[in-house]
Amino acid sequence: MTLQQVSAKKSKSLAENLIILTMIGLLMATFLYYFFKQDQHLSRVGFDSVANTFSARVIGIHAQWFMDNKPSWVVIKEATSVNGDRVNNRVAVNKAGWVDISTVNTVSNENECQKIWQQVLATPMVYIKQPISAVIVNIDTGQVGQQKKYFCQYSLPTGEYFEYHPSSGKVSEINIH
């Protein structure tokens, strides 16, 4: 092989390597683009599942309230066990049978919406390593002496949220701020 042929072969393989690296880079960039584009959608779908679970549990507690002849507390027997014993959770409900902690006269640093979350789901307020915030939104009815009305808003730092209205038991669909 002559020196000219060796030189041509090296430049040819350098050009081939550059083309291969460029193609790999483009494929990686395309993958990352679509991955991050879908990441927000996956987060919303998962949080929607949390809201649906919350709603199902609220409806289940309401149904139990009817079956127990409308008490002020509903006792839920959990399937999970602690030290081999079944755990019974007492859930506070309002006169309409919906989960509502404001009917209980307790003083605590925890807000009422956090207590409702714990009574309904009994899980930490975290979703995929993101904290779930619970905000009480008071509704001014303008009437003196009437029981306070409020609803709870559970939201992620990314802006997705759902609302729970203790007066009606309604759980909203996922919305974005």
Side-chain angles (χ1 to χ4, degrees):
M1 237 199 266
T2 66
L3 190 56
Q4 188 176 16
Q5 289 173 335
V6 171
S7 175
K9 187 173 182 178
K10 281 186 181 180
S11 67
K12 184 178 176 184
S13 79
L14 180 62
E16 289 172 348
N17 286 341
L18 283 174
I19 290 172
I20 290 170
L21 287 174
T22 304
M23 295 292 285
I24 290 173
L26 283 172
L27 288 172
M28 286 176 60
T30 304
F31 170 76
L32 289 173
Y33 170 76
Y34 284 110
F35 175 77
F36 288 118
K37 185 177 175 182
Q38 296 300 317
D39 188 43
Q40 182 72 19
H41 176 70
L42 291 175
S43 174
R44 183 175 176 157
V45 168
F47 195 57
D48 190 38
S49 174
V50 171
N52 288 338
T53 301
F54 187 91
S55 179
R57 293 286 306 245
V58 166
I59 291 169
I61 291 167
H62 187 66
Q64 186 68 42
W65 176 75
F66 273 118
M67 290 187 283
D68 292 345
N69 293 322
K70 304 178 181 178
S72 58
W73 292 88
V74 174
V75 178
I76 304 295
K77 293 181 177 141
E78 296 293 330
T80 58
S81 63
V82 177
N83 298 330
D85 299 327
R86 289 181 72 125
V87 178
N88 293 338
N89 290 332
R90 284 180 40 171
V91 179
V93 293
N94 58 22
K95 291 180 181 179
W98 299 109
V99 179
D100 189 357
I101 211 73
S102 68
T103 58
V104 181
N105 295 326
T106 59
V107 178
S108 174
N109 292 336
E110 205 174 16
N111 79 28
E112 291 171 355
C113 293
Q114 288 173 329
K115 290 178 186 176
I116 288 172
W117 178 280
Q118 288 305 316
Q119 286 196 347
V120 171
L121 294 178
T123 60
M125 295 186 68
V126 177
Y127 172 72
I128 308 180
K129 297 183 182 180
Q130 297 180 35
I132 298 172
S133 64
V135 177
I136 299 172
V137 180
N138 290 312
I139 302 169
D140 185 16
T141 59
Q143 297 177 356
V144 179
Q146 189 178 24
Q147 185 179 1
K148 75 173 189 170
K149 290 195 174 202
Y150 69 98
F151 65 88
C152 297
Q153 185 177 47
Y154 300 101
S155 61
L156 291 175
T158 55
E160 293 98 346
Y161 70 93
F162 69 91
E163 297 171 352
Y164 169 63
H165 296 262
S167 60
S168 64
K170 184 178 185 249
V171 177
S172 72
E173 292 186 14
I174 299 293
N175 297 307
I176 298 177
H177 286 289

